[in-house]
Amino acid sequence: MFFMNLEEKINLAAKWIAESERLVVFTGAGCSTGSGIPDFRGPDGLWTRRDKGLAPKKPKVPWDQAKPNPNHYAIAELMEMGRLNYLISQNIDGLHAKSGIPFEMLAELHGNQFFMKCLSCNKKMLFEEAKWDKKIWGRGFRKDPVREDQPTCPHCGGRIINSIVDFGDPLPYDELQESMIRSQNSDVFLVIGSSLVVTPAANMPGIANQNGAKLIIINKGDTPYDMVTDIKFDDKIEDVLPPIMEKVKEMTKSS
């Protein structure tokens, strides 16, 4: 794409979002750094620091006490404005749900730290609802041995596991399929805070792009899609998303 300055990129991204009918948003760890949760591959991320031989930074707040930040609320606002068709997230922090996004509009492809799921009926439930005590039965991952006395699904009696997708685990089939369909049918696909290297989740922007969607990426650092994206913001999300949202609101009011 021809060169555009930051203001021009913000104006064009806002125009596309305001005019979109099937906007899909895709978020990675960078969306939650403003909540005190470190990312992985950002300039000071967990894996970046590890590769430099540096110790990981301690989270500013415990994960289970983190609260949604303006990035999460901006996406929720897009939903309230009727602009959001679907949200796909790689994050397990549960902050999108806390910001008001209902599960029927949200695919958490790597799980949610607050929820378990049943392998038989596929229902999600809080650990408290499942009466699962981590001190007694551990974290409940798929690979953990099954004990006779551990709780089962209160809905169907099936085996319940931690919804977090551990290394080597399959992604939740239903949410993965829905994400692929929504990506394929999107007209604008907005990436917020992901380096887009963890597949199959990171395949979604490619699916959208190949099917004609306008691709917008907000990520500090390179992604594999930088050569095909329509607009790339190599900036902090906090410097880009708020002015985009202001423009979207202006355009939506005047239309």
Side-chain angles (χ1 to χ4, degrees), residues 153-171:
C153 176
H155 303 283
C156 75
R159 183 189 173 195
I160 51 176
I161 63 169
N162 195 316
S163 74
I164 292 176
V165 178
D166 204 7
F167 288 104
D169 287 351
L171 268 61

Side-chain angles (χ1 to χ4, degrees), residues 1-16 187-188 209 212-217 225-233:
M1 174 171 266
F2 60 89
F3 175 79
M4 292 185 289
N5 62 34
L6 182 58
E7 185 179 359
E8 289 170 329
K9 289 198 289 185
I10 286 171
N11 288 338
L12 185 57
K15 180 176 184 293
W16 287 348
D187 56 4
V188 176
N209 177 254
K214 296 179 175 74
L215 180 57
I216 306 167
I217 298 175
Y225 293 96
D226 288 356
M227 295 302 293
V228 298
T229 187
D230 295 286
I231 302 176
K232 168 67 190 295
F233 294 95

Side-chain angles (χ1 to χ4, degrees), residues 79-98:
M79 178 189 71
E80 291 161 7
M81 294 163 61
R83 297 267 71 84
L84 181 68
N85 180 262
Y86 203 61
L87 171 59
I88 305 167
S89 184
Q90 297 173 292
N91 300 338
I92 63 169
D93 50 40
L95 294 180
H96 286 304
K98 285 184 178 180

Side-chain angles (χ1 to χ4, degrees), residues 196-210:
L196 300 174
V197 296
V198 180
T199 58
N203 294 336
M204 301 305 151
I207 293 171
N209 177 254
Q210 288 161 14

Side-chain angles (χ1 to χ4, degrees), residues 117-231:
K117 69 174 183 179
C118 176
L119 290 178
S120 297
C121 69
N122 212 31
K123 282 195 167 65
K124 286 183 181 179
M125 63 210 80
L126 293 165
F127 280 83
E128 294 81 5
E129 291 176 71
K131 295 182 170 55
W132 186 282
D133 188 336
K134 292 180 186 176
K135 293 177 183 175
I136 300 173
W137 295 292
R139 297 186 69 188
F141 286 121
R142 185 187 292 264
K143 297 186 184 73
D144 293 349
V146 179
R147 288 168 43 179
E148 287 185 13
D149 62 339
Q150 72 186 39
T152 56
C153 176
H155 303 283
C156 75
R159 183 189 173 195
I160 51 176
I161 63 169
N162 195 316
S163 74
I164 292 176
V165 178
D166 204 7
F167 288 104
D169 287 351
L171 268 61
Y173 178 80
D174 290 353
E175 290 179 66
L176 181 61
Q177 288 297 112
E178 187 67 21
S179 296
M180 292 172 69
I181 292 167
R182 300 282 187 143
S183 299
Q184 185 175 345
N185 293 333
S186 65
D187 56 4
V188 176
F189 194 99
L190 172 62
V191 177
I192 301 173
S194 175
S195 55
L196 300 174
V197 296
V198 180
T199 58
N203 294 336
M204 301 305 151
I207 293 171
N209 177 254
Q210 288 161 14
N211 284 276
K214 296 179 175 74
L215 180 57
I216 306 167
I217 298 175
I218 307 172
N219 187 67
K220 190 69 177 165
D222 297 339
T223 84
Y225 293 96
D226 288 356
M227 295 302 293
V228 298
T229 187
D230 295 286
I231 302 176

Side-chain angles (χ1 to χ4, degrees), residues 13-27:
K15 180 176 184 293
W16 287 348
I17 292 168
E19 294 175 352
S20 68
E21 296 181 356
R22 296 177 306 281
L23 169 70
V24 172
V25 177
F26 182 102
T27 64

